[in-house]
Amino acid sequence: MIAGNVVLYGATSGEVYLNGRAGERFAIRNSGATVVVEGIGDHGCEYMTGGCAVILGSTGVNFGAGMSGGIAYVYDEVGNFDNQCNLDTLDLELVDSEGDQKYLRQLLEKHLDYTGSPKAARILSSWDTSLPRFIKVFPMEYKRALGRLSREDEATDRGEPILQ
């Protein structure tokens, strides 16, 4: 354990790279910080509204409860992450877009540079086999809002009225 409970409570900006695990309620109410950590306790990313969290290990239970924004990427080595979070409000996706893959890799490279993390080094050295173990956690409400914004942008580009 390298960091205690409620680290990044209400964070609004900045970056944090932790070579080790953090306690419970990690990044609760995060609204803008970017963080990489190697495991967390229960209730991680609870009520998160923005920012990005990369978890390179286990998460404990109740991950993402009340999460309405932001993105999390979880390295699911064991294959049980879906049992650790609320699937009623979160979409769990593979990291299959080129943009997501590039962003995630950049964060892991920074994590390795700043911390010397052996875990990040292992993941990066076997990127092609490690990437499928990452899960993108996307709050459903945030996804719907982004979809609405995209449709509004498309309508505006075509000169059409925006329908609610």
Side-chain angles (χ1 to χ4, degrees):
M1 189 73 65
I2 194 166
N5 295 334
V6 296
V7 171
L8 295 170
Y9 181 97
T12 58
S13 64
E15 296 180 352
V16 176
Y17 299 90
L18 299 171
N19 184 4
R21 293 182 55 81
E24 294 183 358
R25 303 192 91 186
F26 181 78
I28 180 174
R29 297 198 184 278
N30 178 23
S31 65
T34 299
V35 60
V36 181
V37 65
E38 300 195 358
I40 59 173
D42 295 340
H43 315 292
C45 298
E46 189 177 32
Y47 303 112
M48 189 166 140
T49 62
C52 178
V54 179
I55 318 302
L56 301 179
S58 62
T59 63
V61 297
N62 202 34
F63 184 88
M67 188 176 175
S68 62
I71 299 292
Y73 299 96
V74 177
Y75 188 62
D76 187 18
E77 291 178 280
V78 179
N80 69 346
F81 177 69
D82 58 333
N83 296 323
Q84 306 297 92
C85 56
N86 182 351
L87 297 177
D88 292 336
T89 60
L90 300 173
D91 275 340
L92 304 182
E93 304 175 354
L94 296 174
V95 182
D96 54 9
S97 83
E98 189 175 321
D100 279 339
Q101 291 174 13
K102 183 178 178 181
Y103 180 62
L104 178 59
R105 186 175 180 108
Q106 287 173 342
L107 290 176
L108 288 174
E109 288 169 349
K110 279 182 160 183
H111 182 63
L112 177 59
D113 287 345
Y114 292 145
T115 69
S117 165
K119 188 165 199 171
R122 270 194 318 278
I123 292 169
L124 288 166
S125 71
S126 60
W127 183 247
D128 290 337
T129 57
S130 295
L131 185 59
R133 293 175 188 245
F134 276 99
I135 296 173
K136 179 179 180 182
V137 181
F138 209 149
M140 289 179 189
E141 186 57 37
Y142 185 44
K143 192 174 195 177
R144 280 192 289 273
L146 290 176
R148 282 192 301 270
L149 288 174
S150 178
R151 286 190 302 278
E152 288 174 5
D153 287 344
E154 290 171 11
T156 301
D157 289 347
R158 291 189 303 266
E160 298 173 0
I162 298 170
L163 304 174
Q164 299 295 328

